[in-house]
Amino acid sequence: MQPFPSAVSTEESDPFLMCDFFGPSLSHGVETDPDVFPVNWHPHRGMDIATYLIEGRGRHADSMGNRESFDSPGMQWCSVGSGIEHAEAGGTPAGINTTGFQIWINVPSDRKMDDPRYGTVSPSELPVIVSRDANTRIRVLAGEIEGAEGLVRGPFRTVQNILMLDAVFTRAGSTFTHQIAPHFDCVMVYVYNGEVSVNGSRVGTHNIALLDAQTRDSARALSLASDSGSCMVFAGTRLNQPVAWHGPFVMTTQAEIRKVLDEYRRGDFPPCRVPWDYRSLAAFPSDHPARRGAY
C-alpha cells in the first residue's frame, strides 16, 4: 500500500515524498549469508529515508560501513545527502511477520549534497507517550511533541522540519488530541489498521486523510479517536521547490538527475564511502563491530 504519492500527489504531500506500507509478510527464516539481503544493494541521493518496523526484525548495510539489526517497534534512518548505497531485510526469524513502512522526506535543494548520516533506533530508544488512561500510545518517530513530562523528540533526524507519529489505540473510546504547530502547512493521517476518526470523519484501513493545514484557526487542532485502530500522523513544512525524481534519486532539476546518473554509471557513486568493499563483511576491518559479532 502506498498512501502517497499514489493517493496524495507529491505537490499535496510536500515535503513528504513517499510512504510504502508493507506486510504482514511471514518470514521463512533469517538470512545466514551476511552479504545477502532480500532488498538488494541500491543507491539514493537527495532525501531522508526511514524504514520503520512494527513487526519483525530489521537488518541494514550501507556504503558508510554500517551493519545493523534492530527489533520492532524500531527503525533505521538515513539522511542520504550526496548519496549512499544500502541493502535491507532478512533479519526476521521464521514464523514471525514483518510489517512496516518505508518513508521518504524531501530536503531543501541546498542540502541535497550534505554528507550522509545514519541512525538505528531500538524499541527502548523509541519515545512513547502514553495517555493517562493508558488506552492510547503515541510513538514519536520524528519531530517534537509535548508529553506529560516535557518536550519529547523523535530519533529520526530529518533535514526538513517535520512531525511523524504512530498512534495506537487499544480500547473503545481511546482518543488523542494535538494542536498542529503554525509552521506545519501539510498534515496527513494514514490509517493502517482498523478505523480511526480524524476530526470527526471516519477513515478506514489503508485510507489517508489530507487535512486543510493552510488555515490558522481552530481547524488546526488534530483530534483522533478509535476503539482499536492505528494510524500514522505526518506534519511538515512545505518546501515549495521543484521535484526532479528518477527512481532512487530526488533532486530539483533534470540536470542534477543526469549528473548523478553519470556518476553512478562511471562508478563514482557514492562520493562519501568507506575505503573498503562495504558489500563484503570479510573486507571490513577486523575491529569493526560487525566483525566482532555485534551485527
Side-chain angles (χ1 to χ4, degrees), residues 26-43:
L26 189 65
S27 173
H28 298 294
V30 174
E31 174 56 59
T32 57
D33 188 327
D35 298 328
V36 173
F37 296 84
V39 180
N40 207 359
W41 290 93
H42 59 282

Side-chain angles (χ1 to χ4, degrees), residues 39-51:
V39 180
N40 207 359
W41 290 93
H42 59 282
H44 288 288
R45 172 177 283 179
M47 77 283 277
D48 291 343
I49 297 175
T51 299

Side-chain angles (χ1 to χ4, degrees), residues 255-273:
E256 291 170 329
I257 291 293
R258 289 192 293 272
K259 182 177 184 294
V260 67
L261 289 173
D262 287 343
E263 290 176 28
Y264 189 66
R265 290 169 185 144
R266 291 196 310 263
D268 295 334
F269 184 94
C272 296
R273 50 182 154 175

Side-chain angles (χ1 to χ4, degrees), residues 130-137 168-175 227:
V130 181
S131 63
R132 291 182 180 179
D133 60 9
N135 292 341
T136 306
R137 298 175 64 84
V168 179
F169 304 93
T170 59
R171 281 189 176 183
S174 301
T175 62
D227 292 346

